[in-house]
Amino acid sequence: ALASVVKERAGVEPEVQVSDDGILFRLPGADAEFPEDLLTALTPEQTRERVLAGLTDSALFGALFRQNAQRALLLPGFRRGRRTPFWLQRLRSKDLLSVSRGFPDFPVMLETFRDCLEDAMDMPGLMNVLESLQAGNISVGRHEAAAPSPVARSLNFAFEAWYMYQWDAPKAERSIQQLGLDRSELAALMRDPAFAGTLKPEAFDEVSGHVAHTAPGMRARSATELAQLLEDLGDLTSEEIAARADGDYKEWLSKLQEEHRAQKIALTGGDAWVASAHADEYKAVAAISASAGPSDREALRNVLRRLLGRSAAMTEAQIAERYGLPARLLDEELEAMAADDELAWGYFTADAGDREWAVRQNLERIQARTLSILRSEIRPSSPLRYQSELLRLQRLSPAHRASGADGLKTVLHEMRGVALSPAEWTSRTLPARVSGFTVGMLGQLLATGDFIPVLVESGSDGDLVSFVPRGEGAQWLSKASMQRISGEDDALSGIASEVLEFLRSEGSARSADIRAAFPDPKLSEVRSALSQLVKSGVVTTDSWVAFAAALTQPSAASSPTATVQHAPASLNRSSARGRTIARRQAGRRMRELTSSLPDDAAWFPSGRFSVLGLEPDSSSLPGARAEALLRRHGIVTRQVLAMESSGWDWAPIVNALSLMELRGDVRRGYFVVGLPGVQFALPETVERLREPLRGGTDDLVVVSAADFAYVLDQRLLDAAGIESGLVNGLSRIPPNHLVFSGDEPVLRSEGNGERLRVSADASGQLVLSAVRSLRDHLVPATGSVGNRMSVVSWGGEDVIGSGGESVLEEAGFRRDYPAMTFDAVQARALSSR
């Protein structure tokens, strides 16, 4: 009611802040005085009419009407054992309210009016106050103060909250809060050097180009326009005029000089051109001294208005150098202009060492442009941008890849809880993240005992293995994995049960000790028993070769029921060829047994303390897992757990993330377009997603479509509206790969390089670099004979005769009709010649 009266009297829409202490009105941009008779002129009857007129359309009335209608059983409640959704309750309540408006005496309407006027709004109390004002029992006074009173300060708190809680918001949102101020508040804020650089440099450049007339479309195109430029901008040197003219400015200056419309004068900073109408002012400024008279000071003010009007911000030193002004005089004039609300001073640019001066109108334009830029930055990022950030976090980017044994240890530490198949670990995941990775490097790390391989799942789809740090298994293994490790498997064969009891009694035993402890069973039976124990998850080893061999299905030669693989019947075993085949088969069986049971491999139960460690605290366990997910992915959703196959429960993790959000450690919001479910992100990840990313030939990233770091599935692409021929429809299988440059895909590979597609926007050099990166990824330099890459199709066409043939030739491929082939061994031989 009060706001409507203020709007009628002042002519502007007031900003209103209401609390239990009072009402605060702000009239931004209003020329009229605040109506002092606001309360005395408002009678109780008028107030009641104004309140009732707008009450039925308010959210308060709608909410209370819905509650009353629900209590009166006018809205359908439970149906078939299920509650009515809240949105449906609101819709039905809104329909009932629209009908009830025609019946003012409807009991539910009357009860809702009573609830609003008496319980929620205390209308009787307001009526008493207004009646006392009308009777003169309460007087109304006016008081103007430089600072708000204690009561008004609490009302103004919401306006100042952006400053008090500035670090509780991400950088872009925080900047918007800082810049969403009026001109005077912004100028006061910028006087703190800590806020230097809050305004965007892009906004400075854009506004400066417009006010200085250096931007395209703002330059002079004729002598007349150049004369107007000198009139508006003041003194300009020849170089400054050249930057503001599209044409022969020298001819224009000659013409203006002949017409006595412009003339050249000497200033301390050099000769400059000025409009003839302003020449006397500049001459007076050039000859000014510390004891300048009123006329000289007025001329100085006019000169400063033109100079600062065409600049985004300038320091006093820059102004004094241009005109040779005394520092004290210049400071006095600038302060006087600031007092008259013409100028504002502060630390506007990021590298501002001294205070800078700017015209308030220009500062307002810079502020508005900065807000526009910041609003665009807080929009959800594209999935492609998140994909590039995820490749960096997962160390697939060449600039962030680990190297050597220490790098492998770091990567395994970062991937605690991740469960993958042995082939995925050694052929795709670890080689993509660790430069120079070899299986022997992994074996050496496991031999130290710092990490232990544990089978977490075994089924028809394959075996999943997780590497747990020593003594931390209980923290990173799922409940199902822990039950497998600590439980008894009744399906174990007799020899397997005996071997398990032996290992539990010994704690740990090497392969040689196990063979010596069980001399009667054949070596193949001992191998099968260990394989059964490893697949059950109850036994593990410190040898990756032995662990991986135990997970493979035993061959017929090593099976207890078939110890001999016969040669073909057509071969006579007494013949030389038959004896040779038999020796080879026996040698192969012996090598298989030896590789699966190396003498130095130590076997031990997975439930040992050295593997599982202490039982973690149930209150801290979800937080540790949530932090690990955040470090790996930057943004955590429920989908992340399915991608990693960790088997962790989502409910305790999301609760831990919510607590981390309350502490300010993570952010919850909508950070990536199309990413399903609630999104929790690290603050630094949110900031990096908003930074522009530029790709190049030096930082190309090759990622397998089956890698869990690749998130661009078809559902995510459709939700984000991305239609990229390189990404859409790419199956998530190991032979398919993508090459990224920044956040843009450059090259698509299917079938381990058989079919290639390139981005239409990529340059030839970028495509060539992408092909080489893919080649080096698929065909390592240490490849053996037969390790090659053959390209059959380029952009859906036969590669021979296509535009990609020359690119492949330059990348080291040769014609091998109907394909282009790269052979690692042959390439090394040619390069060594």
Side-chain angles (χ1 to χ4, degrees):
L2 292 174
S4 61
V5 175
V6 173
K7 183 178 180 180
E8 293 174 0
R9 300 287 186 89
V12 296
E13 187 73 33
E15 296 180 1
V16 185
Q17 296 180 13
V18 183
S19 74
D20 295 337
D21 297 326
I23 305 174
L24 174 68
F25 290 95
R26 297 179 67 247
L27 306 177
D31 296 329
E33 292 289 336
F34 188 84
E36 298 181 16
D37 59 342
L38 173 63
L39 296 176
T40 56
L42 193 63
T43 64
E45 293 76 15
Q46 292 175 339
T47 302
R48 188 177 184 86
E49 291 177 1
R50 290 176 183 271
V51 171
L52 292 177
L55 185 60
T56 55
D57 295 326
S58 66
L60 173 65
F61 191 90
L64 294 178
F65 180 85
R66 181 176 65 253
Q67 296 175 10
N68 293 332
Q70 189 76 42
R71 288 200 301 268
L73 303 181
L74 294 178
L75 297 178
F78 293 93
R79 183 180 181 183
R80 297 180 182 178
R82 294 183 299 178
R83 294 187 60 185
T84 304
F86 183 63
W87 64 268
L88 185 57
Q89 294 181 27
R90 294 182 61 184
L91 184 62
R92 290 173 174 173
S93 173
K94 186 177 181 180
D95 293 340
L96 179 61
L97 178 60
S98 62
V99 175
S100 303
R101 291 179 191 273
F103 303 92
D105 57 347
F106 185 52
V108 176
M109 291 286 290
L110 295 177
E111 179 65 15
T112 305
F113 274 112
R114 191 201 65 78
D115 290 342
C116 290
L117 297 177
E118 297 183 6
D119 295 344
M121 303 176 63
D122 191 19
M123 182 61 74
L126 177 62
M127 295 295 102
N128 292 334
V129 172
L130 293 178
E131 290 173 358
S132 299
L133 286 172
Q134 294 290 325
N137 298 328
I138 298 177
S139 61
V140 179
R142 171 174 176 167
H143 175 69
E144 294 185 3
S149 66
V151 175
R153 187 179 298 277
S154 64
L155 296 172
N156 202 40
F157 177 76
F159 180 69
E160 297 176 346
W162 62 267
Y163 184 80
M164 300 179 65
Y165 301 106
Q166 59 176 327
W167 303 115
D168 287 355
K171 182 178 178 181
E173 287 86 342
R174 187 166 64 245
S175 298
I176 283 187
Q177 291 174 357
Q178 293 170 355
L179 295 172
L181 310 174
D182 58 28
R183 294 183 307 178
S184 59
E185 294 292 341
L186 178 66
L189 175 69
M190 290 301 174
R191 292 174 185 175
D192 186 350
F195 291 93
T198 303
L199 297 172
K200 286 288 187 179
E202 305 94 301
F204 269 95
D205 296 340
E206 184 175 330
V207 173
S208 179
H210 279 80
V211 298
H213 288 263
T214 57
M218 304 293 295
R219 304 186 185 104
R221 296 165 297 178
S222 64
T224 302
E225 292 184 357
L226 179 57
Q228 186 62 44
L229 215 62
L230 293 173
E231 181 76 22
D232 296 337
L233 305 185
D235 59 299
L236 295 173
T237 64
S238 298
E239 293 77 10
E240 291 171 340
I241 294 176
R244 294 166 172 79
D246 287 337
D248 190 356
Y249 71 93
K250 294 181 180 180
E251 181 180 348
W252 299 342
L253 286 173
S254 300
K255 180 180 179 181
L256 293 176
Q257 191 174 23
E258 292 175 358
E259 297 175 355
H260 302 288
R261 299 170 64 187
Q263 57 181 285
K264 182 185 289 188
I265 62 173
L267 298 177
T268 303
D271 294 340
W273 290 87
V274 299
S276 298
H278 301 153
D280 292 340
E281 292 180 345
Y282 284 93
K283 292 176 182 178
V285 169
I288 205 168
S289 63
S291 58
S295 60
D296 293 338
R297 288 180 177 269
E298 183 62 29
L300 177 58
R301 279 204 178 194
N302 293 333
V303 169
L304 292 177
R305 287 191 187 98
R306 299 186 196 102
L307 176 65
L308 294 174
R310 70 173 193 243
S311 307
M314 295 185 70
T315 64
E316 293 184 31
Q318 292 172 328
I319 301 173
E321 181 182 2
R322 187 176 185 92
Y323 301 116
L325 295 171
R328 182 176 179 180
L329 174 64
L330 177 60
D331 184 67
E332 291 176 356
E333 287 304 317
L334 291 174
E335 291 287 355
M337 295 176 71
D340 292 340
D341 211 26
E342 292 186 62
L343 303 179
W345 69 267
Y347 299 88
F348 304 118
T349 58
D351 55 350
D354 300 324
R355 64 176 185 172
E356 298 171 312
W357 294 86
V359 175
R360 286 189 175 271
Q361 289 79 0
N362 292 349
L363 185 61
E364 185 179 5
R365 294 179 62 179
I366 296 172
Q367 173 196 6
R369 182 59 188 138
T370 299
L371 283 171
S372 177
I373 295 173
L374 289 172
R375 290 191 182 103
S376 66
E377 288 182 355
I378 65 173
R379 295 172 184 168
S381 300
S382 164
L384 291 174
R385 181 64 184 87
Y386 174 58
Q387 178 66 82
S388 65
E389 176 63 18
L390 187 56
L391 295 179
R392 186 194 69 83
L393 288 173
Q394 293 281 342
R395 296 186 179 275
L396 277 85
S397 171
H400 299 89
R401 292 185 70 187
S403 62
D406 292 339
L408 176 60
K409 189 174 181 179
T410 301
V411 169
L412 290 182
H413 182 79
E414 293 174 349
M415 302 186 72
R416 294 164 297 176
V418 177
L420 302 172
S421 68
E424 286 179 309
W425 278 114
T426 57
S427 64
R428 181 172 62 249
T429 303
L430 294 179
R433 292 162 172 81
V434 182
S435 299
F437 170 81
T438 61
V439 176
M441 185 187 300
L442 177 61
Q444 292 174 3
L445 178 60
L446 297 184
T448 64
D450 292 337
F451 286 88
I452 301 167
V454 177
L455 184 75
V456 299
E457 184 177 337
S458 181
S460 57
D461 296 335
D463 302 321
L464 297 181
V465 178
S466 182
F467 294 97
V468 297
R470 183 181 183 87
E472 298 183 13
Q475 186 172 3
W476 306 112
L477 296 176
S478 64
K479 292 181 180 179
S481 301
M482 294 292 294
Q483 292 174 356
R484 284 169 52 90
I485 291 174
S486 59
E488 296 288 344
D489 195 340
D490 297 334
L492 293 176
S493 61
I495 181 64
S497 299
E498 295 176 10
V499 173
L500 178 59
E501 289 300 323
F502 173 74
L503 291 176
R504 285 176 175 172
S505 63
E506 293 292 319
S508 174
R510 301 214 172 261
S511 300
D513 299 332
I514 297 175
R515 292 201 299 268
F518 295 91
D520 293 335
K522 296 180 181 180
L523 184 60
S524 59
E525 295 178 0
V526 176
R527 175 184 182 272
S528 297
L530 287 172
S531 176
Q532 188 176 4
L533 292 172
V534 171
K535 285 189 174 184
S536 299
V538 296
V539 168
T540 184
T541 177
D542 63 355
S543 171
W544 176 251
V545 173
F547 186 86
L551 292 180
T552 61
Q553 291 293 335
S555 63
S558 59
S559 174
T561 59
T563 59
V564 179
Q565 182 178 358
H566 295 284
S570 60
L571 291 177
N572 185 355
R573 184 163 295 276
S574 62
S575 65
R577 186 180 179 189
R579 289 193 298 272
T580 302
I581 292 177
R583 285 195 301 270
R584 289 178 179 175
Q585 290 176 345
R588 182 167 58 251
R589 290 195 298 272
M590 185 56 65
R591 287 193 299 272
E592 290 176 354
L593 293 175
T594 303
S595 65
S596 62
L597 290 173
D599 291 338
D600 59 346
W603 303 82
F604 45 87
S606 303
R608 287 204 318 175
F609 179 82
S610 60
V611 179
L612 300 182
L614 294 173
E615 183 177 354
D617 184 6
S618 59
S619 61
S620 61
L621 178 61
R625 292 179 173 179
E627 185 176 356
L629 292 173
L630 286 167
R631 297 301 172 187
R632 277 200 295 270
H633 297 270
I635 297 178
V636 176
T637 63
R638 188 168 189 167
Q639 185 181 15
V640 167
L641 298 183
M643 295 172 60
E644 292 190 349
S645 303
S646 60
W648 294 345
D649 295 331
W650 171 246
I653 291 178
V654 73
N655 291 336
L657 289 169
S658 299
L659 291 176
M660 295 170 71
E661 180 195 9
L662 293 177
R663 295 196 303 264
D665 297 335
V666 300
R667 309 292 183 195
R668 172 161 52 181
Y670 189 51
F671 306 112
V672 179
V673 177
L675 207 60
V678 60
Q679 301 177 17
F680 293 90
L682 290 171
E684 53 266 30
T685 300
V686 177
E687 299 302 334
R688 279 196 296 266
L689 288 177
R690 292 168 178 174
E691 295 174 357
L693 185 65
R694 297 176 182 177
T697 59
D698 298 332
D699 197 22
L700 294 172
V701 184
V702 183
V703 59
S704 170
D707 197 305
F708 70 89
Y710 178 74
V711 296
L712 299 178
D713 56 22
Q714 194 61 48
R715 182 176 59 180
L716 179 60
L717 297 173
D718 292 341
I722 297 176
E723 297 181 0
S724 172
L726 300 186
V727 179
N728 292 89
L730 183 65
S731 301
R732 296 181 62 91
I733 55 177
N736 295 345
H737 295 78
L738 275 174
V739 182
F740 284 87
S741 173
D743 55 1
E744 292 295 332
V746 178
L747 180 66
R748 166 175 172 162
S749 167
E750 297 178 85
N752 284 325
E754 286 189 3
R755 300 177 298 278
L756 301 182
R757 290 181 179 272
V758 298
S759 172
D761 300 330
S763 64
Q765 185 61 38
L766 185 59
V767 171
L768 175 60
S769 299
V771 170
R772 287 173 174 166
S773 298
L774 178 66
R775 175 203 68 190
D776 296 340
H777 181 83
L778 298 178
V779 187
T782 57
S784 59
V785 176
N787 195 359
R788 58 175 57 189
M789 172 182 171
S790 294
V791 181
V792 178
S793 171
W794 180 279
E797 304 176 354
D798 294 337
V799 66
I800 302 297
S802 69
E805 182 178 358
S806 59
V807 177
L808 293 171
E809 284 182 353
E810 192 171 353
F813 288 73
R814 58 178 175 81
R815 279 197 175 203
D816 186 20
Y817 192 83
M820 296 289 293
T821 302
F822 177 83
D823 190 293
V825 176
Q826 185 179 19
R828 287 204 311 273
L830 292 175
S831 62
S832 62
R833 292 180 181 176

